């Protein structure tokens, strides 16, 4: 690795850090807001350099980087470890920590305590939580504790079972009204923004026109103030099923496999390392070292593992 700054990194270093007033201004001016997830230092460096506005350490990490089947099992300690790594790679985007299932539903005290951990321990600027209902109370408590909150309605993966599975929400007028009420309630307790996930575009369009805060859509059409996608989905790192709303901008998994195959083949065929990858030594130093080897026995004493008491 080199410590020299490339052109793209230099450009990123002059950008002003994102702020809540700036996000509100972007929504007011109709300037699209770009949000993406990140889960570690290299992904944070990439999104910083790409100049995105908001970064979410999503609980989608459960599936994309930790290998769980759903987002439900991931816990606070795992999320904090990932958020800390992202923080180290990020300077300008607003960093949002996604409160995992079971970290905020119990009580307002639990919600505030865990939101504070995202801010104090991982350096997040804000937190996100899912659903309306009791989450509205939790959001109010966290906002009152001085931490900005992003809400998330529509398809809420943490409670997908109760919603009938991973499918679009708000396709009936009744369910659309429910989403509208949740969105308005979250806005009224001070959420600075909302995520709409998997909501018909016409419903989202009608709803965002009635909301003051910016809505970031994922599978909610083009009328929202911004868009969010999961890093591993949009870059083709994640394999297997992807939702209808995902657009792939790269095939990184294929590129990784191809690179690893080439490396393995080079090692096996003795093509790597080449002369350009090795360090030299002065001939006189080498001669002296060889002379030492000829005089000394390098056998040394072998450790007797069998006789070791553990
Ligand atoms: O966890 C996540 O990645 C999310 C986004 C899809 C909004 O909640």
């Amino acid at each position: 690795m080199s410590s020299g700054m490339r052109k793209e990194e230099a450009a990123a270093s002059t950008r002003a850090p994102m702020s809540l007033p700036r996000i509100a201004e972007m929504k007011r001016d109709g300037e699209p807001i770009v949000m993406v997830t990140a889960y570690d230092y290299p992904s944070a460096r990439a999104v910083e350099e790409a100049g995105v506005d908001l970064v979410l350490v999503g609980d989608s990490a459960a599936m994309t980087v930790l290998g769980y089947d759903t987002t439900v099992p991931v816990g606070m300690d795992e999320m904090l470890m990932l958020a800390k790594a992202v923080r180290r790679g990020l300077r300008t985007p607003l960093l949002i920590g996604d409160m995992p299932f079971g970290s905020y539903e119990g009580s307002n005290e639990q919600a505030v305590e865990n939101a504070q951990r995202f801010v104090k321990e991982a350096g997040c600027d804000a937190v996100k939580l899912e659903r309306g209902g009791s989450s509205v109370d939790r959001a109010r408590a966290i906002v009152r504790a001085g931490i900005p909150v992003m809400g998330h309605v529509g398809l809420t993966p943490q409670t997908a079972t109760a919603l009938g599975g991973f499918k679009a929400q708000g396709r009936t007028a009744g369910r659309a009204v429910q989403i509208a009420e949740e969105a308005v309630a979250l806005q009224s307790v001070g959420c600075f923004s909302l995520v709409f996930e998997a909501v018909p575009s016409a419903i989202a369009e009608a709803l965002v026109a009635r909301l003051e805060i910016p809505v970031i859509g994922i599978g909610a059409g083009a009328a929202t103030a911004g868009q969010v996608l999961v890093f591993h989905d949009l870059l083709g790192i994640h394999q297997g099923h992807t939702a209808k709303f995902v657009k792939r901008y790269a095939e990184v998994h294929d590129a990784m496999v191809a690179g690893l195959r080439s490396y393995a083949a080079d090692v096996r065929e003795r093509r790597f390392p080449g002369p350009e990858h090795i360090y030299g030594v002065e001939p006189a130093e080498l001669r002296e070292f060889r002379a030492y080897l000829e005089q000394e026995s390098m056998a040394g004493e072998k450790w007797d593992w069998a006789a070791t008491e553990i």
Side-chain angles (χ1 to χ4, degrees):
M1 283 195 288
S2 133
S3 59
M5 204 188 267
R6 292 181 300 111
K7 215 169 52 197
E8 296 80 357
E9 285 175 309
S13 73
T14 60
R15 227 180 3 249
M18 182 52 64
S19 65
L20 297 186
R22 175 72 189 121
I23 295 166
E25 182 184 70
M26 288 173 82
K27 138 94 174 153
R28 230 179 10 253
D29 295 350
E31 197 183 325
I33 301 167
V34 181
M35 172 162 150
V36 70
T37 65
Y39 315 105
D40 57 14
Y41 179 78
S43 56
R45 294 301 310 148
V47 299
E48 172 75 49
E49 218 177 284
V52 308
D53 303 310
L54 310 180
V55 173
L56 172 71
V57 183
D59 65 350
S60 49
M63 299 162 82
T64 54
V65 299
L66 299 177
Y68 293 119
D69 287 338
T70 70
T71 59
V72 169
V74 71
M76 272 304 293
D77 289 340
E78 289 165 309
M79 289 300 295
L80 286 172
M81 192 196 71
L82 302 175
K84 286 179 198 176
V86 172
R87 176 76 282 167
R88 289 180 207 116
L90 215 62
R91 204 184 64 81
T92 45
L94 198 88
L95 178 58
I96 303 161
D98 205 3
M99 300 196 69
F101 184 65
S103 73
Y104 60 95
E105 301 88 336
S107 66
N108 288 351
E109 290 70 29
Q110 180 203 29
V112 170
E113 192 179 312
N114 282 320
Q116 284 171 338
R117 290 192 72 194
F118 270 112
V119 175
K120 281 167 75 113
E121 296 177 35
C124 288
D125 302 304
V127 297
K128 177 172 88 58
L129 44 70
E130 293 190 3
R131 295 188 309 113
S134 62
S135 292
V136 176
D137 256 358
R138 307 294 174 257
R140 182 193 288 111
I142 298 169
V143 170
R144 284 188 176 165
I147 299 173
V149 176
M150 173 180 259
H152 181 157
V153 297
L155 173 57
T156 46
Q158 293 175 3
T159 44
T161 311
L163 296 176
F166 285 84
K167 54 186 192 189
Q169 301 294 311
R171 294 183 110 161
T172 62
R175 177 71 182 117
V177 167
Q178 238 181 341
I179 293 171
E181 286 174 355
E182 290 173 352
V184 168
L186 287 162
Q187 173 177 268
S188 74
V189 296
C191 285
F192 74 94
S193 173
L194 296 174
V195 167
F196 277 12
E197 179 165 351
V199 173
S201 54
I203 300 292
E205 188 173 353
L207 204 39
V208 297
R210 301 293 190 92
L211 292 167
E212 278 165 28
I213 57 176
V215 170
I216 312 295
I218 175 163
T224 53
Q227 298 291 329
V228 56
L229 281 179
V230 166
F231 188 89
H232 286 53
D233 288 342
L234 82 96
L235 292 180
I237 301 172
H238 178 69
Q239 294 295 291
H241 173 77
T242 45
K244 177 186 167 79
F245 50 71
V246 172
K247 180 173 175 185
R248 283 239 159 138
Y249 289 86
E251 293 299 340
V252 172
H253 176 83
D254 294 350
M256 287 197 293
V257 173
L260 288 163
R261 281 198 177 127
S262 299
Y263 162 67
D266 276 3
V267 171
R268 289 180 182 129
E269 299 299 322
R270 301 191 185 283
R271 288 189 296 260
F272 174 83
E276 67 276 34
H277 306 118
I278 61 176
Y279 296 103
V281 58
E282 289 297 329
E285 301 294 336
L286 184 58
R287 269 197 307 278
E288 189 180 327
F289 179 62
R290 282 187 172 145
Y292 160 81
L293 288 183
E294 274 161 27
Q295 284 162 20
E296 297 288 325
S297 155
M298 291 293 286
E301 277 184 27
K302 285 226 171 80
W303 187 261
D304 184 359
W305 282 107
T308 306
E309 279 182 33
I310 297 176

